[in-house]
Amino acid sequence: MARWIRGQFASLSGVGLALGTLLFAAALTPTLVPRSYLTQGALAGICFAIGYGLGVLSRQLWRYLELPGPSERLRRPVNAAILILSVLIALWFLWKAADWQNSIRAVFNLPLLPSLHPAQLCLVALATFVLVLIVARLFKRLAAWIVGITRRYIPPRLANIIGFGLAALLFWSLASDVLARSVFRALDSSYREFDALLEPERAQPTDPNKTGSKASLVTWRELGRAGREFIAAGPTATRISTQTGRPAQEPIRVYVGLRGAETAEARAKLALEELKRVGGFSRSTLIVVTPTGTGWVDPSAMDALEYLRDGDVASVAVQYSYLSSPLSLLTQPEYGAETARALFREIYRYWTALPHDRRPKLYLHGLSLGAMNSEKSAELFEMIGDPIDGALWSGPPFETRGWRSITESRNPGSPQWLPEFRDSRIVRFMNQNGPSVPSDRPWGAMRLVYLQYASDPIVFFDYRDAYRQPDWMRQPRGPDVSAELRWYPIVTMLQLALDMAVATSTPIGYGHVYAPEHYVEAWTTVLGTGRWPAEELAALKQHLADRARTPAGGESPAGTPYDNRGG
């Protein structure tokens, strides 16, 4: 054992240890959303492995170039000093880790972390590093085996390069083509089976004007779980009238699940026919909704809209996937564009054929991946002669092209997390504190609004964060971003990538979970709803906020539609 320990210490890379410790320490600093010790520890372990791997790689490259290295008498005490210093740095950052996480939790109004957090985090980080080390050793053995074969036929140095390259290619192929696709198919199958389960507590509607009823063109089973939730969970005319004190209509909601038809075009045509059947084009407001990856439609958005319009609203959505939005975004960012485009094309063609004075105002809406695909669904040159009335896109992912282009072309001096674009007559940005410009500033013919939180990593992640500081980190920062947040090369990008995976686990009103009271403000901006007195609007916001944050919420025992928030 003593001999083995001495051998391990002799092979220790001082540069790798120093780089690994620095990346490990940086990984413990806060980012946009709070993290548990499991996610924090896993990230810290991966960052240490990356740093140590870079150090080992630099040593191998140094030897390969046959450059003179330090003597053994010098290397051992230097490595010992680096080891001691690294341990001290790691302990200090571990001691600070809970305070840094609590700085985010304080902004999010969450309870503080327990004192055991650093110890638990350290154990997870160690286990993660060991796992990465095993994979690295396997890679090294594979590369050595390939080099041993190729050296019989070609010069040694060329054999080394080819061996390393082939091993890397094989590992990448296994990870991306075999492993990733297998996981993707397994998850897709799992989500599909879950989507097919009928909830006994959610009864099929008896009203013939409801999608999924016996009179509907879409069966109750074909709606899927997200569709049944969307149809059954909305506010009734009675509930709306009780809150507003005015007569209200029963809101119209139309949904077609993936089982409704074989192709995106067929599902879009089915949605149009169902919308016509229930009288959707006779309402004053029509919303074409693009759901999230699982088919989920955010009740915070739709409930707020239906209250604001006294139920005089029709909304239509078509499912395009079973997978969650973050998973779809990372694996297939183009997922759903075809379906969103097909639905908009069918609705828009029918809508433009109606007399202008006898058709509803037409708007688009989407959350997360739904926002990105909704933005893609409408082409400017297609509708420039007869434009839609507007759109509300919440939490647009970082890959959203229109959002990215507008954000990068924002007016000088406006922050990335709440930009101003030109004269704000067509596009405006909002967060929990309202729009970026005064509400009385005049609009153009079309109103496009992006609702986004500064703490939403799905919006503000960028691969370029690996080598440059993002603009949203500069002062002034968003109201829901920790003052302790700092940028570090490579680490910040990895932190934000991890944040995306847990962005829907935050409290309502932070991260990627958009609050109904903020939707009320956003829809008011998009629709130009001016008939609501300020005190009534405030009461509506409070009513919707209380309902979203109360587990019972007046819903069935199965829970509220907010249980599946974020899709």
Side-chain angles (χ1 to χ4, degrees):
M1 178 63 70
R3 191 163 51 250
W4 180 84
I5 292 175
R6 285 196 300 269
Q8 293 298 310
F9 182 77
S11 65
L12 190 68
S13 169
V15 175
L17 187 60
L19 284 175
T21 302
L22 290 176
L23 294 186
F24 170 85
L28 301 181
T29 60
T31 48
L32 289 179
V33 299
R35 292 193 291 268
S36 67
Y37 72 88
L38 285 173
T39 54
Q40 183 85 341
L43 176 64
I46 291 172
C47 287
F48 181 84
I50 290 173
Y52 191 80
L54 289 174
V56 172
L57 184 61
S58 68
R59 184 173 66 182
Q60 296 296 331
L61 181 61
W62 189 273
R63 290 176 178 174
Y64 187 78
L65 296 175
E66 298 182 354
L67 297 173
S71 65
E72 193 66 21
R73 292 183 59 186
L74 176 63
R75 198 169 69 85
R76 289 201 176 196
V78 169
N79 280 356
I82 291 176
L83 177 61
I84 294 171
L85 186 61
S86 296
V87 169
L88 293 176
I89 291 173
L91 289 174
W92 189 83
F93 274 78
L94 281 168
W95 177 66
K96 292 285 293 181
D99 291 338
W100 283 325
Q101 282 300 305
N102 285 334
S103 72
I104 315 175
R105 300 178 74 86
V107 173
F108 282 38
N109 295 314
L110 290 171
L112 301 183
L113 290 172
S115 58
L116 287 175
H117 178 81
Q120 295 168 324
L121 185 160
C122 189
L123 290 174
V124 173
L126 181 61
T128 304
F129 172 71
V130 170
L131 180 62
V132 174
L133 185 62
I134 291 172
V135 174
R137 292 282 174 88
L138 289 174
F139 174 82
K140 184 178 179 181
R141 292 200 173 194
L142 176 63
W145 178 71
I146 297 174
V147 168
I149 295 175
T150 54
R151 274 188 174 182
R152 301 173 188 173
Y153 311 102
I154 58 177
R157 291 194 176 184
L158 184 58
N160 290 339
I161 295 174
I162 292 176
F164 180 84
L166 288 177
L169 181 63
L170 181 59
F171 261 66
W172 176 258
S173 298
L174 288 172
S176 60
D177 293 338
V178 179
L179 183 60
R181 290 191 180 187
S182 298
V183 171
F184 190 84
R185 283 195 296 268
L187 288 173
D188 187 61
S189 175
S190 175
Y191 277 111
R192 187 186 302 114
E193 292 176 5
F194 178 73
D195 186 75
L197 296 175
L198 284 172
E199 311 81 30
E201 69 282 345
R202 190 167 285 130
Q204 181 180 10
T206 56
D207 183 352
N209 289 322
K210 290 279 190 180
T211 296
S213 66
K214 292 183 178 180
S216 174
L217 302 177
V218 187
T219 68
W220 188 236
R221 179 176 290 275
E222 288 173 344
L223 287 177
R225 191 179 189 90
R228 291 188 291 270
E229 182 181 271
F230 175 62
I231 296 300
T236 62
T238 302
R239 188 189 298 169
I240 295 172
S241 185
T242 300
Q243 177 63 31
T244 64
R246 293 187 295 269
Q249 300 182 56
E250 198 72 28
I252 292 176
R253 293 185 174 190
V254 171
Y255 191 98
V256 176
L258 274 172
R259 291 178 176 81
E262 288 296 323
T263 65
E265 290 76 12
R267 290 192 294 272
K269 291 180 184 295
L270 180 60
L272 173 62
E273 293 304 315
E274 177 71 3
L275 188 63
K276 289 158 61 177
R277 184 190 74 83
V278 298
F281 288 95
S282 65
R283 295 300 174 94
S284 67
T285 305
L286 173 60
I287 311 295
V288 179
V289 182
T290 304
T292 64
T294 58
W296 186 75
V297 178
D298 191 355
S300 294
M302 302 316 300
D303 291 3
L305 170 66
E306 289 164 351
Y307 274 96
L308 286 170
R309 282 299 197 217
D310 294 322
D312 189 15
V313 178
S315 54
V316 56
V318 172
Q319 187 180 18
Y320 55 86
S321 169
Y322 299 111
L323 294 172
S324 64
S325 289
L327 185 60
S328 296
L329 183 63
L330 288 173
T331 54
Q332 294 184 359
E334 300 297 319
Y335 223 51
E338 178 188 1
T339 300
R341 174 72 184 143
L343 178 60
F344 175 78
R345 184 169 56 244
E346 292 294 331
I347 300 296
Y348 182 75
R349 284 176 182 172
Y350 187 84
W351 179 76
T352 52
L354 297 174
H356 282 230
D357 59 344
R358 293 171 53 193
R359 71 185 189 186
K361 290 190 173 184
L362 181 60
Y363 299 91
L364 304 180
H365 171 64
L367 163 70
S368 191
L369 192 61
M372 184 174 77
N373 289 322
S374 177
E375 186 188 86
K376 292 177 180 178
S377 69
E379 296 181 0
L380 178 63
F381 293 107
E382 175 187 42
M383 61 179 187
I384 196 167
D386 194 1
I388 63 173
D389 293 277
L392 172 57
W393 293 311
S394 48
F398 64 95
E399 292 280 7
T400 308
R401 293 177 184 173
W403 169 87
R404 179 182 289 274
S405 176
I406 293 169
T407 300
E408 291 178 350
S409 303
R410 66 189 181 276
N411 296 345
S414 63
Q416 185 185 14
W417 49 271
L418 194 62
E420 291 182 28
F421 182 68
R422 299 182 182 175
D423 60 0
S424 301
R425 290 180 61 86
I426 297 179
V427 179
R428 295 183 188 178
F429 291 80
M430 300 184 66
N431 63 5
Q432 57 269 62
N433 294 332
S436 56
V437 299
S439 57
D440 57 355
R441 184 174 293 184
W443 277 95
M446 188 166 53
R447 302 183 177 198
L448 306 179
V449 170
Y450 291 100
L451 175 63
Q452 59 190 42
Y453 297 149
S455 59
D456 189 345
I458 292 178
V459 175
F460 293 108
F461 174 84
D462 193 328
Y463 294 107
R464 294 173 294 183
D465 294 342
Y467 59 86
R468 72 175 192 183
Q469 179 179 346
D471 288 344
W472 54 265
M473 278 195 181
R474 307 184 193 280
Q475 299 295 338
R477 289 183 175 176
D480 47 346
V481 175
S482 169
E484 300 290 335
L485 193 150
R486 299 291 185 271
W487 175 78
Y488 301 97
I490 302 176
V491 174
T492 296
M493 185 202 71
L494 295 175
Q495 287 178 316
L496 293 174
L498 180 62
D499 284 350
M500 283 198 295
V502 296
T504 58
S505 63
T506 62
I508 295 178
Y510 301 94
H512 199 58
V513 184
Y514 288 83
E517 59 268 32
H518 303 149
Y519 272 118
V520 169
E521 194 72 28
W523 279 121
T524 301
T525 302
V526 174
L527 303 174
T529 306
R531 61 184 177 182
W532 280 73
E535 60 275 9
E536 291 186 18
L537 206 60
L540 175 62
K541 291 179 182 179
Q542 189 62 51
H543 169 72
L544 293 173
D546 292 342
R547 181 168 172 264
R549 292 168 173 82
T550 302
E555 299 291 336
S556 66
T560 78
Y562 298 93
D563 291 342
N564 296 325
R565 57 189 178 165

